Amino acid sequence: MLRQQINTPTLKGYEHINRYWDPRLRQPAAKILPGEAYVSKTGEVIVTVLSSCVAVCIRDTRIGVGGMSHFTVPMLSQKSSEEHARLAAEAYACWAIEQVTNEIYKQGGQRAALEVKVYGGGPQLVAEAPDDMGARNAQFLRDYFAGEGIRPLEEGLEGDFPRKISYFPDTGATRVNDIRTRANDTIEQREQDYNRALLRRPDLGDLELFV
């Protein structure tokens, strides 16, 4: 379970991601938090936990390179025009997805060979955020990929519980487990931290952001 047990290098730009040895799966794992992404070209599993946030899993089926992005679509701010806020929010969400696709292309991937799976958009756990935040995130993904002419191979959107997603980019396999009972408020705290980090981003202007 120590970091030094992992012999395969990570791709440049993803060195900050928490990687560890999963003794049950007997392979390296990378755990991403809200606002993070990870791409792998080796036999790793990418893990995240979602509530109202969404995760997009993308891989090139020819070369077995793929990754996951975990994000939310920023809410509109009453301080700015609706059109400006909408475009800025969509730009942020598209950037979150393109982090993964652009890295896959850098590794030799091609758009025609991409396979997409989408998850999340479940219950809102941060008290000050609107209850329909998960549904808004889910609808954004449906609209985004419809506009791109891409039909996700698997869609696990909305629902009543947070989910743990385990994605194997070399094979495309995914394990989805509902989290029906929890011993602590770790999920809520991570979402709250993500929300605060988004609010500090100067390039997002006056958008009001929620997880």
Side-chain angles (χ1 to χ4, degrees):
M1 289 183 284
L2 299 176
R3 182 178 292 270
Q4 56 262 37
Q5 291 179 270
I6 304 175
N7 297 320
T8 56
T10 187
L11 294 175
K12 184 178 180 180
Y14 298 102
E15 297 88 352
H16 64 288
I17 298 297
N18 177 28
R19 299 175 74 219
Y20 60 95
W21 180 260
D22 188 312
R24 183 175 58 87
L25 296 174
R26 300 181 64 83
Q27 69 182 108
K31 185 171 186 177
I32 64 171
L33 302 178
E36 293 184 336
Y38 187 78
V39 176
S40 174
K41 63 177 183 179
T42 59
E44 297 180 90
V45 56
I46 307 174
V47 179
T48 200
V49 175
L50 304 166
S51 56
S52 64
C53 286
V54 287
V56 176
C57 303
I58 307 175
R59 67 186 289 262
D60 184 296
T61 58
R62 300 175 306 108
I63 60 177
V65 174
M68 178 195 293
S69 182
H70 177 158
F71 65 96
T72 189
V73 179
M75 288 290 294
L76 305 182
S77 170
Q78 295 179 349
K79 299 177 183 178
S80 61
S81 72
E82 181 174 339
E83 181 66 8
H84 168 75
R86 181 184 66 81
L87 292 174
E90 290 180 356
Y92 173 80
C94 293
W95 170 81
I97 295 172
E98 289 169 359
Q99 286 186 84
V100 174
T101 55
N102 288 342
E103 185 63 42
I104 293 173
Y105 295 153
K106 283 170 59 178
Q107 300 301 319
Q110 297 179 0
R111 178 184 170 88
L114 294 184
E115 173 185 275
V116 176
K117 297 184 177 184
V118 294
Y119 306 96
Q124 177 53 254
L125 299 180
V126 178
E128 66 266 28
D131 291 338
D132 66 345
M133 193 65 238
R136 295 186 191 199
N137 282 332
Q139 190 59 50
F140 170 82
L141 287 189
R142 295 185 180 110
D143 293 343
Y144 175 85
F145 286 110
E148 292 290 313
I150 297 174
R151 183 175 181 178
L153 182 65
E154 187 168 297
E155 179 182 294
L157 296 172
E158 302 186 69
D160 298 325
F161 301 98
R163 297 181 178 103
K164 178 180 180 181
I165 311 297
S166 301
Y167 179 57
F168 302 79
D170 55 339
T171 66
T174 312
R175 295 181 182 179
V176 181
N177 299 102
D178 286 347
I179 302 175
R180 295 173 179 266
T181 59
R182 292 181 285 127
N184 55 49
D185 63 352
T186 300
I187 302 174
E188 290 94 329
Q189 188 58 55
R190 286 173 178 164
E191 291 192 340
Q192 186 64 58
D193 291 345
Y194 178 36
N195 182 50
R196 291 171 179 168
L198 282 174
L199 287 170
R200 291 194 297 268
R201 286 178 63 102
D203 56 322
L204 292 178
D206 59 358
L207 291 182
E208 183 179 353
L209 307 178
F210 295 103
V211 178

